[in-house]
Amino acid sequence: MKTVRKSALAVLAMSAMLPLLAQASNPAITDTLTADPAALVDGDTVYLYTGHDEAKDNKDFYRMNKWLVFSSQDMVHWKNEGSPLAVKDFKWAKSDAWAGHVVKKNGKYYWYVTVRHRDINGFAIGVAVSDSPTGPFKDALGKALISNDMTTDTEIDWDDLDPAVFIDEDGQAYLFWGNTKPRYAKLKDNMVELDGPIHSLDLPNFTEAIYVHKHGDYYYLTYSMGFPEKTAYAMSKSIDGPWEYKGILNELAGNSNTNHQSIIEFKDRSFFIYHNGGTPQGGSFRRSVCIDDLHYNPDGTIQRIVMTSEGVDPVQSGVSRETAAN
Ligand code: FUB
């Protein structure tokens, strides 16, 4: 009897500890399909902005009409904040809510997105703005920020996609984007106008999903390489380059032929956020966001990502995976 009571108490004690020991898994979000992650650290919260795959199966193509937002304080528990932005919010856009990126500047949140233009052939980049990280967002310009007729040096009409904005320590913002040809331009302080010419970059086997971040003394430029895509990276001491190619950062993302990354630092840890087709019936057009740890070497290079099923340990709980196992 005593033993039974002791075991019951042990079970009770264990279940009381469960929230503390909560462990992530990959994919990190499983209640809906999420692709093309872009994360923003804002105080104690990480906001995760994603696309939403609606393809019925993986013989289909991308069916994407809106974007989603999730929030977390520990990188493990994600609150679904709904969909505060859709293609229909851009009157000049026709379809295709492809990859986007959100940054905060002067207390406002700017969401740069890929859409197909209604009147100008090809893909385009729009920008929406909000006073809150979870919206509502509204078209900040009433027209495209970048349209395909502004970049006429490729033969494809999908070269203007996957916007990513980097804001340097001096407050200067840069818009990066492109497919097959990586490009960047300065943004004015109002965040909705280019400030100067569009520059091209030279990156080996560049496909898309360009993303720029800074850590220590280095700028890092990550991007999808080849097809199916691996994530590669380059480093520089200056935002204007030259960029030194450093190799593969992430291997093929399982059964997804695209690979799209976001890299953040949150509470002294670094995270690599990407997508694969890891949910049941998942695949290249039914993708899901995953999160794994990212580690720098002492010389500033980045260790190759280890994609895991277990995901990351929670931030802030004070209970690491190792402690929990003991
Ligand atoms: O989600 C549609 C497209 O697939 C994105 O724009 C690319 O980055 C790739 O992930």
Side-chain angles (χ1 to χ4, degrees):
M1 186 64 180
K2 250 188 192 159
T3 320
V4 170
R5 203 178 303 137
K6 261 194 187 159
S7 330
L9 280 174
V11 168
L12 267 178
M14 292 259 302
S15 49
M17 282 171 71
L18 271 181
L20 285 177
L21 300 178
Q23 168 68 56
S25 61
N26 276 327
I29 293 171
T30 50
D31 58 340
T32 187
L33 293 173
T34 52
D36 302 328
L40 171 72
V41 177
D42 194 22
D44 274 352
T45 303
V46 177
Y47 293 94
L48 175 63
Y49 300 88
T50 77
H52 177 48
D53 278 338
E54 297 175 52
K56 294 279 168 285
D57 59 46
N58 290 297
K59 291 187 219 104
D60 204 340
F61 191 60
Y62 303 110
R63 284 183 192 268
M64 305 178 82
N65 300 298
K66 61 185 181 185
W67 295 271
L68 310 176
V69 189
F70 302 83
S71 65
S72 175
Q73 277 80 44
D74 66 2
M75 299 299 289
V76 170
H77 299 90
W78 289 96
K79 180 179 174 205
N80 188 334
E81 302 275 6
S83 170
L85 190 65
V87 171
K88 64 176 170 39
D89 296 320
F90 298 96
K91 298 290 170 256
W92 50 269
K94 182 162 76 177
S95 57
D96 296 313
W98 287 17
H101 186 216
V102 178
V103 289
K104 185 179 182 182
K105 180 89 195 279
N106 300 333
K108 290 191 184 298
Y109 299 82
Y110 293 90
W111 197 337
Y112 298 82
V113 295
T114 309
V115 283
R116 190 173 272 281
H117 205 290
R118 183 176 294 285
D119 306 312
I120 302 170
N121 181 48
F123 277 86
I125 292 170
V127 53
V129 65
S130 174
D131 292 328
S132 155
T134 54
F137 282 84
K138 62 171 201 304
D139 186 354
L141 261 182
K143 61 178 184 175
L145 174 60
I146 304 287
S147 49
N148 190 42
D149 55 352
M150 293 165 68
T151 57
T152 51
D153 53 349
T154 70
E155 287 182 1
I156 58 173
D157 73 0
W158 62 93
D159 55 312
D160 295 296
L161 48 62
D162 290 6
V165 171
F166 173 75
I167 304 177
D168 212 343
E169 281 145 14
D170 62 1
Q172 177 64 56
Y174 300 81
L175 174 70
F176 289 80
W177 76 97
N179 180 294
T180 61
K181 189 140 195 180
R183 309 177 195 277
Y184 77 104
K186 278 185 179 173
L187 284 170
K188 288 189 179 166
D189 197 49
N190 64 17
M191 298 298 275
V192 297
E193 280 177 277
L194 299 190
D195 191 6
I198 296 174
H199 306 280
S200 294
L201 293 165
D202 187 16
L203 297 165
N205 216 358
F206 176 83
T207 303
E208 57 186 359
I210 196 166
Y211 183 84
V212 173
H213 76 282
K214 194 170 186 206
H215 176 81
D217 291 340
Y218 285 105
Y219 296 87
Y220 295 83
L221 193 160
T222 48
Y223 64 96
S224 291
M225 181 178 79
F227 201 85
E229 298 173 346
K230 297 175 184 175
T231 305
Y233 81 108
M235 288 167 66
S236 177
K237 285 271 171 117
S238 159
I239 188 67
D240 288 309
W243 294 96
E244 190 181 339
Y245 177 72
K246 290 291 178 183
I248 295 169
L249 179 59
N250 193 33
E251 299 288 351
L252 300 179
N255 58 348
S256 167
N257 57 20
T258 59
N259 216 322
H260 194 117
Q261 77 295 350
S262 177
I263 294 171
I264 55 163
E265 289 176 28
F266 183 53
K267 308 255 165 117
D268 296 327
R269 285 171 57 189
S270 293
F271 297 94
F272 185 81
I273 310 171
Y274 59 104
H275 64 219
N276 67 14
T279 51
Q281 286 86 51
S284 292
F285 306 116
R286 294 177 54 80
R287 299 163 292 178
S288 296
V289 166
C290 300
I291 305 173
D292 276 303
D293 292 297
L294 180 143
H295 299 287
Y296 295 91
N297 293 312
D299 67 356
T301 55
I302 315 179
Q303 293 175 15
R304 201 168 288 204
I305 299 299
V306 177
M307 290 182 278
T308 68
S309 298
E310 292 84 359
V312 294
D313 289 331
V315 168
Q316 257 183 342
S317 74
V319 180
S320 71
R321 192 178 293 161
E322 290 73 29
T323 318
N326 291 330

